[in-house]
Amino acid sequence: MIQTANRLQTIEEYYFSKKLREVRAMAAEGKPIINIGIGSPDLPPSEAVITSFQESIRHAGAHQYQSYQGLPELREAIAKFYKEKFGVNADPSTDILPLMGSKEGIMHISMAFLNEGDEVLIPNPGYPTYSSVTKLVGAVPRQYDLLADNGWFPDLESLSKEDLSGVKLMWVSYPHMPTGATANAYQFETLVAFAKKHNILLVNDNPYSFVLSKNPLSILSIKGARDTALELNSLSKTFNMAGWRVGMVLGNEKNVNAILKVKSNMDSGMFYGIQKGAIEALKSGKEWFDQLDTIYNARRKLMFQLADKLGCTYDPNAVGMFVWAKLPKGSPNSEDFIDRILQDKNIFIAPGTIFGSNGEGYIRFSLCVTKSKIKEAIDRF
């Protein structure tokens, strides 16, 4: 019997991949499942995006291999978007690389910069893929604490007192997933200074800046950040294009070229029509973002009511498409808590523990569900 690679022994199947099989099986049995655990936008892209895609598929060459670097006009659209929204100047010919989703970028960046045994600073709680990809490339995950008492921001002073000589890369994500915490310009400055001091590549994973967030910020807007930082972004949440798989990484030319070296050996370029749709999305005006926030704000108010029903507490000023809620005192652990609700009420909520040990005692509600479904969930209690 052929044995799998040793690297697979370092990771487990993604939690949602396993748990959703259970949820789907319950639905197949006829149970009225309400899924408020997954952050997959249920809203469509704009009509302009869909029309652009439809028209583009008849263009000459639309179905041929595309450039590994994406269409020049896509990179130009990304550069313009970053300039208008973040005040960041990025050369579309050297500083920007389109990706098939920012999740792909996590792998490409790790493969481009990490050697076996290199250490990686990973937020706890944080996106589980940071740890799994680190293990897959043979590097060593090294978690750093994020705590509510510190606004879900790392204690950089304490970290600096540790031996960081083996650390090559640090993942941050602001606005933060899953908590919805934000970082201001001063906090980004301290992160950049920390990374420079310890010769660490700093990567900000930034897909939630335009969901219920009035002050979007890029780490690349910080003076000198480009010397030590990269930023990932995505069209998945901002433009309801999760299934399209469109992301981007920005940084200095040397670092972007290193990532391109990996990417060009792993795919043959994003489909032409998807790129044309992405270009149209990046042109979206203020009305797009306002209507998106109107929808999510109405849903969030209802989700707060559901959290109240469960006796949970939360930060009403957090941003993004989730509500991160602390369980009431005396509750069972997070996974037992959500399993009980799933079995008793047929409602799926994400346990905080899937994002790290500091997620114990918390649960995460997704806003990617209609108001009527949230009201139905509330009524079940």
Side-chain angles (χ1 to χ4, degrees), residues 286-360:
K286 183 176 181 295
E287 65 280 359
W288 169 261
F289 300 95
D290 287 346
Q291 62 90 22
L292 196 67
D293 275 357
T294 297
I295 294 170
Y296 280 128
N297 192 50
R299 292 177 175 184
R300 183 170 64 174
K301 288 178 180 178
L302 288 171
M303 206 66 81
F304 287 162
Q305 292 181 32
L306 178 57
D308 291 339
K309 284 263 189 178
L310 296 174
C312 295
T313 53
Y314 46 83
D315 178 4
N317 298 312
V319 307
M321 54 176 51
F322 305 105
V323 172
W324 179 251
K326 187 174 184 179
L327 296 178
K329 288 184 178 180
S331 297
N333 66 55
S334 297
E335 293 194 23
D336 287 346
F337 188 90
I338 69 102
D339 281 341
R340 184 178 301 173
I341 292 174
L342 178 60
Q343 297 301 321
D344 293 349
K345 305 295 184 181
N346 294 313
I347 299 170
F348 173 56
I349 304 166
T353 46
I354 67 176
F355 306 105
S357 60
N358 286 339
E360 180 55 80

Side-chain angles (χ1 to χ4, degrees), residues 245-261:
R245 309 311 304 138
V246 184
M248 64 206 78
V249 61
L250 294 88
N252 66 42
E253 181 177 4
K254 181 180 178 182
N255 288 340
V256 169
N257 280 339
I259 301 165
L260 174 61
K261 218 180 252 191

Side-chain angles (χ1 to χ4, degrees), residues 68-70 74 78 97-106 108-109 231-233 244-250 259-260 263 267 270 274:
Y68 301 108
Q69 294 174 282
L74 175 55
I78 294 169
L97 181 63
L99 303 168
M100 293 179 185
S102 57
K103 191 172 186 178
E104 178 193 60
I106 296 170
H108 290 347
I109 290 168
E231 183 158 280
L232 285 169
N233 215 316
W244 292 54
R245 309 311 304 138
V246 184
M248 64 206 78
V249 61
L250 294 88
I259 301 165
L260 174 61
K263 178 176 171 58
D267 68 52
M270 195 186 307
I274 289 177

Side-chain angles (χ1 to χ4, degrees), residues 88 184-186 188-190 192 217-226:
V88 170
N184 58 36
Y186 173 74
F188 272 160
E189 288 171 3
T190 63
V192 169
L217 189 64
S218 165
I219 202 165
L220 297 179
S221 67
I222 302 304
K223 184 178 179 181
R226 219 167 301 209

